[in-house]
Amino acid sequence: MPDTAVSRNTGAMASWMPCCTAEMSIGEAMVRSFVACIIGRGRNRRVITPLPRNPGAEAFDALHDSPQDWIAAIRQVAARYTVQPVQPASGGTVLVGLADDVVVKLYPPFLRDHFDFEAAVLPRLDGRLSVPTPSLIDRFEHEGWPGLAMTRLQGQGLTDVWPALDEDAKCDTLAALGRLAAEVHAMPPDGVERLAPPWPEFIARQQAGCLARHTRGRLPPQLLAQVQAFVQGELPTGSPVILTGEYTPMNLLYDGGLTGMYDFGDGLVGPAAYDWLGPLCFLAAGHGRRCDAFLTAYGAPAGRDWRLPLLRLLLLHRYSNPVGQIGMTGWQSARTFEEVAGIIWPL
């Protein structure tokens, strides 16, 4: 989300697990629509509470956590695209309704940049990658809130299945993620950069707010004392690419292999290494073989020369919170960031 409006709802959407649905004829759909219309005009119809016109981050957080206050609005919109029941999704940074076949997202007005970015990236990725991404159905406005309707992917959330995978399956998954990231990064931005903050400005803002951010995030005190100076050092460089930031278990689906990737609203355009952070922190931290599986499949140079620049980028990430994002323990007792890099990304 934009750096000027900070919402605590920075988690990923709940996994979009599929359900089997029976085929419906056009006649059946018309009957259902007619019955719904008659019921809606009856005296027992549910009153749809209007969405707030321009909520701030705190007001949106309160609304987000009370789906009974917004799901009727989502269902009203979703009726244009599906006759299936629509349920609220938990988590996420926006309001999301899930049907068996369709996902509807409403973005608060202060996240219009997320809406614009996702609307531009979805058709660009659709059908061009080794892992499915949602197909864009429509973009719309509802009471001043921008929104998207898209197809729903199949599979279980990788977060749910990851602990049960054996080591070979985990390395295979990381290799698939490396290939997937390389595929996206090979696509030219072609104007998408106009929908994201310029990379130098983004980094400068993140550096300026770094100490306050990691004080709130309870970075270990011996590291917090060094963080502001550390992030002024060398950062990853390279040609600007589309950064989805979504190569994380919260935004990936799995069924014997990767079956989907979704949620591109908080993307950026910048050096490719920014997208390495999700796999290397959430899924590979502390495991040299897993790191190698991702990086080799991606096509990165051999070695670990990238560790310190990438660690700085982790500390400057839009949602940086190492305590919650590094998928291992033990690093918190390190005396320096050089020690941290060696612990979480071993040879």
Side-chain angles (χ1 to χ4, degrees):
M1 58 179 26
D3 305 299
T4 55
V6 179
S7 166
R8 61 176 166 74
N9 286 307
T10 58
M13 253 65 78
S15 59
W16 300 353
M17 296 181 62
C19 298
C20 294
T21 60
E23 292 185 358
M24 179 180 297
S25 69
I26 295 176
E28 288 173 319
M30 292 177 65
V31 169
R32 289 194 181 190
S33 178
F34 176 77
V35 172
C37 181
I38 295 300
I39 293 174
R41 291 175 180 173
R43 60 181 179 179
N44 294 324
R45 71 177 182 267
R46 178 175 295 179
V47 176
I48 299 177
T49 303
L51 296 172
R53 294 303 268 178
N54 193 24
E58 290 187 9
F60 173 72
D61 282 340
L63 177 68
H64 182 279
D65 292 347
S66 302
Q68 69 275 8
D69 293 336
W70 53 262
I71 189 57
I74 287 275
R75 287 171 176 156
Q76 182 182 38
V77 173
R80 307 173 197 167
Y81 312 108
T82 183
V83 296
Q84 302 300 324
V86 177
Q87 301 300 326
S90 60
T93 58
V94 300
L95 308 184
V96 181
L98 305 177
D100 291 344
D101 51 350
V102 169
V103 175
V104 173
K105 302 175 71 171
L106 277 173
Y107 304 70
F110 67 80
L111 288 184
R112 184 172 288 274
D113 60 332
H114 283 41
F115 160 79
D116 289 333
F117 196 94
E118 185 155 27
V121 168
L122 279 172
R124 184 163 304 199
L125 302 182
D126 188 15
R128 300 180 182 179
L129 304 175
S130 56
V131 174
T133 57
S135 297
L136 180 64
I137 297 172
D138 194 14
R139 50 189 296 168
F140 58 85
E141 294 272 338
H142 180 77
E143 298 179 4
W145 290 49
L148 297 175
M150 63 194 73
T151 57
R152 185 173 178 178
L153 302 173
Q154 298 185 3
Q156 292 182 276
L158 184 59
T159 300
D160 298 328
V161 302
W162 184 257
L165 299 181
D166 63 28
E167 192 62 24
D168 285 345
K170 288 178 178 178
C171 287
D172 288 345
T173 302
L174 280 157
L177 279 176
R179 291 188 293 271
L180 177 61
E183 291 167 4
V184 176
H185 294 166
M187 297 180 178
D190 284 349
V192 175
E193 65 273 10
R194 295 194 296 269
L195 304 176
W199 184 255
E201 293 181 14
F202 169 75
I203 290 298
R205 284 198 300 270
Q206 296 303 101
Q207 288 173 328
C210 183
L211 181 59
R213 184 182 313 110
H214 291 296
T215 299
R216 293 192 302 269
R218 299 185 179 181
L219 193 69
Q222 78 279 10
L223 298 174
L224 185 65
Q226 307 170 50
V227 70
Q228 195 63 55
F230 179 70
V231 298
Q232 305 302 317
E234 179 188 3
L235 294 172
T237 58
S239 300
V241 299
I242 297 173
L243 303 171
T244 73
E246 303 307 344
Y247 307 94
T248 65
M250 295 79 71
N251 299 104
L252 294 164
L253 300 176
Y254 187 93
D255 185 3
L258 293 178
T259 60
M261 177 174 68
Y262 60 91
D263 189 16
F264 308 114
D266 55 359
L268 295 164
V269 174
Y274 188 84
D275 272 346
W276 298 1
L277 288 168
L280 293 180
C281 290
F282 285 101
L283 302 176
H287 297 267
R289 182 185 168 203
R290 295 185 198 175
C291 293
D292 290 338
F294 173 82
L295 293 166
T296 299
Y298 181 85
R304 293 288 190 268
D305 291 344
W306 48 265
R307 287 190 296 192
L308 287 180
L310 191 66
L311 183 57
R312 294 186 182 99
L313 204 53
L314 170 62
L315 294 164
L316 296 173
H317 193 279
R318 178 176 259 165
Y319 299 136
S320 182
N321 179 20
V323 174
Q325 293 165 341
I326 296 176
M328 63 172 296
T329 59
W331 65 270
Q332 296 93 333
S333 61
R335 294 166 298 174
T336 66
F337 284 112
E338 287 77 7
E339 289 184 15
V340 172
I343 292 170
I344 64 176
W345 297 316
L347 296 174

